[in-house]
Amino acid sequence: MLDATLQAACPCVMCPRYEPLTLLTEDSHRFLICGDGLYVEVCRPWIHAILKVMDSPIPLPYGQPPKLFSIQLHRRALIAGLQHFIRRSREIAPLEHAAWLTFDPDQKTLGYVEPEVISRGAGHICYYRPDATPHCLPVVDCHSHGYLPEGAFFSDEDDADDMTDDAKLAFVVGNLDKPEVSVAMRFVGFGLSIKLSEWVRSLLYDDHITGEIELGNDKHDDRERPYPL
């Protein structure tokens, strides 16, 4: 009974070879056994992604999943939230600063929360993670690196913290004493990490998306739009 409960909560399915894979539609995740290895499909109110976990040492008689990495956050709201965090970080520098961007699945809106700080300095910050509620999902974990000359980077401590968290975007800003700050971003979840630094720099500095990312024109449309990467 316990195994059946576990399989229902986090199933492992074989990726079909001759038919399209039916994607998740609910807030959940599952593992996919595919022709070249193991994947995880993550479906949250703000993101839908299929990520490779590991290669298989032998070919398997299954199909391949579609390429999928879609961040379903409003473009202008995300830019505004990150810019507000950068302004707040400049005010508090050279000490480090932290904040979370939160998502309301019903209203499709982003919020801004500065968590309770346990301790902070010019080279560290320790803070409480906001609790998730049905109308407030912590989705973007932001922290600054003050005036550190290395700029924006993820430290070993960041790596250790992020690998234990649920799916989220992690954002770092540095060189706050310079006219143009340095930024870095990545998606983390299930022990995996996807670099998004070039994407977030394009958002903040070029105000358009380059490469294979397609956002659509929202200059006259404030409806929710996804980010298909």
Side-chain angles (χ1 to χ4, degrees), residues 75-76 207 216-222 225:
R75 172 177 174 269
R76 283 196 252 176
D207 199 23
N217 183 0
D218 66 353
K219 291 183 179 179
H220 305 290
D221 188 352
D222 288 331
R225 292 188 179 273

Side-chain angles (χ1 to χ4, degrees), residues 192-206:
L192 304 173
S193 177
I194 307 294
K195 295 180 180 179
L196 299 174
S197 294
E198 182 178 350
W199 177 72
V200 78
R201 282 194 291 268
S202 180
L203 269 183
L204 291 172
Y205 296 128
D206 298 336

Side-chain angles (χ1 to χ4, degrees), residues 152-166:
F153 63 95
F154 292 100
S155 65
D156 292 340
E157 184 177 351
D158 294 336
D159 292 340
D161 291 340
D162 286 346
M163 292 305 104
T164 62
D165 219 335
D166 189 42

Side-chain angles (χ1 to χ4, degrees), residues 13 15 52 59 66 71 75 87 90 126 130-131 133 137 145 164 179 193 196 200 202 213 225:
V13 302
C15 186
K52 193 170 191 179
I71 298 173
R75 172 177 174 269
R87 287 193 295 270
R90 284 191 187 274
C126 184
D131 293 330
T133 70
L137 304 178
H145 282 167
T164 62
S193 177
L196 299 174
V200 78
S202 180
I213 302 169
R225 292 188 179 273

Side-chain angles (χ1 to χ4, degrees), residues 9 28 43 56 89 108 124 164 182 188 197-198:
S28 58
C43 185
S56 172
S89 296
K108 307 296 184 185
H124 88 284
T164 62
S182 57
V188 290
S197 294
E198 182 178 350

